[in-house]
Amino acid sequence: MAVATERQDPGPAAAGVRRGGAPPRPRRPAPGPAGRARPTGAAPYLLLLPALVATALLLGWPLVKDGLLSFQNLNMRQLIQHLTEWNGVDNYRETLTSEDFWRVTLRSVIFTAANVVLIMVLGTLVGLLLARLGSKMRLLLSVGLVLAWAMPTIAATTVFQWLFATRFGVVNWVLDALGWHSMAHYNWTGGQFSTFFVITVLIVWGSIPFVAINLYAATTTIPGELYEAAALDGAGTWKSFTSVTLPFLKPFLLATTFLEVIWVFKAFTQVFAINEGGPDRLTETLPVYAFVEGVGNQHYGMGAAISLLTIAVLLALTSYYLRIVLRQEEDEL
């Protein structure tokens, strides 16, 4: 029996057009993780709201109170009598016209620059050493770095005071044993540069673990094939470092330097605990200077003004550093 083989019309959907020549309506993606739309509206802001509220309460409100205090004449008499005496910008005017403030500011900038350079250079070297060591030695060095990093600041400062003590300090004993007999009873906190030397050693010692451990973690993300390709091209150790390691570590180094500038510039505990800014206030940095003027001399409004100016100086330094970083990134692009 013959079967009709008449060609059937595929229909508008199969032909790819609708009646009247209009294109077919696209199908909606199937529901699932890939087809979910991104949250819109107020949802992202509601998720950020708890963190913003906590930041405003813990950081913003004290900053506002400090700002109000900087426009007041607040001494012990006003505290006892519960008086509020507004003096406008007199605290700022007196601070900005003081030679001591600008001398301490310059000292703080130089102190920060010297410490950050030492921290980044030594921390980078220790981090690269971690990448080269075997597993057992790496574990031993990492434990030592973590212990140094975890030591409280006051405890570390006390240890360094013992190490550099005049009569029974280990440092003086070692130097005397090595032949420097004049250092047997040397007073490390009796001069400006020797005091800064002790403070610098303390700060650098406490900051190297952060740089070293994080830099070692960053080196683990570098593909080994790049080193193999550099070796095939005849690159030595230094060439491999500059052409492979350094480009990968550059973003980390820039970010870490930014954090270390902030951390060293606002360092208060180490500077004050070693010698309270002495001798003769020659080792005061801006945080210590604000504390001595505000709490030590009981000029609380003046201390508040100095602390806000310290924040302004720090913001200026960090913004200048960020401009340099952004300019370098634009040049590389």
Side-chain angles (χ1 to χ4, degrees):
M1 181 174 61
V3 180
T5 59
E6 182 181 358
R7 190 174 183 179
Q8 297 182 355
D9 186 7
V17 295
R18 302 179 63 191
R19 297 182 184 272
R25 183 176 299 173
R27 294 182 178 180
R28 294 182 179 180
R36 291 176 182 173
R38 294 183 178 179
T40 56
Y45 302 99
L46 292 176
L47 295 175
L48 291 175
L49 185 60
L52 294 176
V53 171
T55 303
L57 291 177
L58 298 177
L59 298 179
W61 179 243
L63 188 62
V64 171
K65 293 291 290 184
D66 194 45
L68 294 175
L69 186 61
S70 66
F71 294 102
Q72 299 178 22
N73 179 29
L74 183 60
N75 299 322
M76 188 57 65
R77 181 178 66 87
Q78 286 80 5
L79 281 176
I80 295 176
Q81 298 180 1
H82 300 284
L83 297 177
T84 301
E85 296 182 3
W86 299 93
N87 60 355
V89 295
D90 290 346
N91 293 329
Y92 292 96
R93 183 184 299 111
E94 184 177 350
T95 301
L96 293 175
T97 55
S98 172
E99 294 183 359
D100 292 336
F101 172 77
W102 295 109
R103 188 182 301 111
V104 173
T105 301
L106 178 61
R107 183 189 304 151
S108 301
V109 172
I110 297 174
F111 173 76
T112 301
N115 278 268
V116 170
V117 170
L118 289 173
I119 290 169
M120 294 307 300
V121 172
L122 297 178
T124 301
L125 293 177
V126 175
L128 295 176
L129 177 62
L130 283 173
R132 293 281 185 174
L133 291 175
S135 58
K136 294 183 179 179
M137 292 301 297
R138 183 186 302 124
L139 177 61
L140 181 62
L141 180 57
S142 299
V143 169
L145 292 172
V146 170
L147 290 177
W149 192 11
M151 181 177 289
T153 306
I154 288 295
T157 305
T158 303
V159 170
F160 271 76
Q161 287 176 329
W162 291 343
L163 290 175
F164 289 91
T166 302
R167 296 186 59 186
F168 304 106
V170 176
V171 175
N172 287 352
W173 178 82
V174 171
L175 293 176
D176 183 32
L178 292 176
W180 286 285
H181 302 296
S182 60
M183 303 295 294
H185 299 287
Y186 183 75
N187 183 11
W188 289 93
T189 58
Q192 179 184 22
F193 292 103
S194 59
T195 304
F196 266 131
F197 174 79
V198 176
I199 297 171
T200 299
V201 173
L202 172 60
I203 291 178
V204 172
W205 174 82
S207 302
I208 284 178
F210 172 77
V211 179
I213 295 175
N214 285 280
L215 186 136
Y216 165 68
T219 59
T220 60
T221 63
I222 303 176
E225 294 81 2
L226 297 179
Y227 291 106
E228 296 176 0
L232 292 176
D233 291 339
T237 304
W238 177 251
K239 187 64 177 179
S240 297
F241 173 76
T242 56
S243 61
V244 178
T245 307
L246 189 58
F248 270 86
L249 298 181
K250 189 175 182 180
F252 162 80
L253 293 174
L254 294 176
T256 307
T257 303
F258 175 75
L259 294 176
E260 290 296 335
V261 168
I262 297 176
W263 191 82
V264 174
F265 189 85
K266 68 182 185 65
F268 169 82
T269 307
Q270 299 91 332
V271 181
F272 187 80
I274 287 293
N275 201 16
E276 298 184 359
D280 299 328
R281 304 186 66 174
L282 292 176
T283 59
E284 286 183 354
T285 56
L286 278 175
V288 178
Y289 179 68
F291 177 82
V292 171
E293 290 293 329
V295 179
N297 296 335
Q298 298 180 357
H299 296 160
Y300 301 105
M302 181 71 67
I306 296 174
S307 64
L308 289 179
L309 290 175
T310 301
I311 297 175
V313 173
L314 181 57
L315 290 176
L317 290 176
T318 53
S319 62
Y320 176 74
Y321 174 76
L322 288 177
R323 284 185 59 188
I324 296 176
V325 172
L326 295 176
R327 189 177 304 169
Q328 290 180 351
E329 292 181 353
E330 292 176 356
D331 293 341
E332 291 177 356
L333 295 176

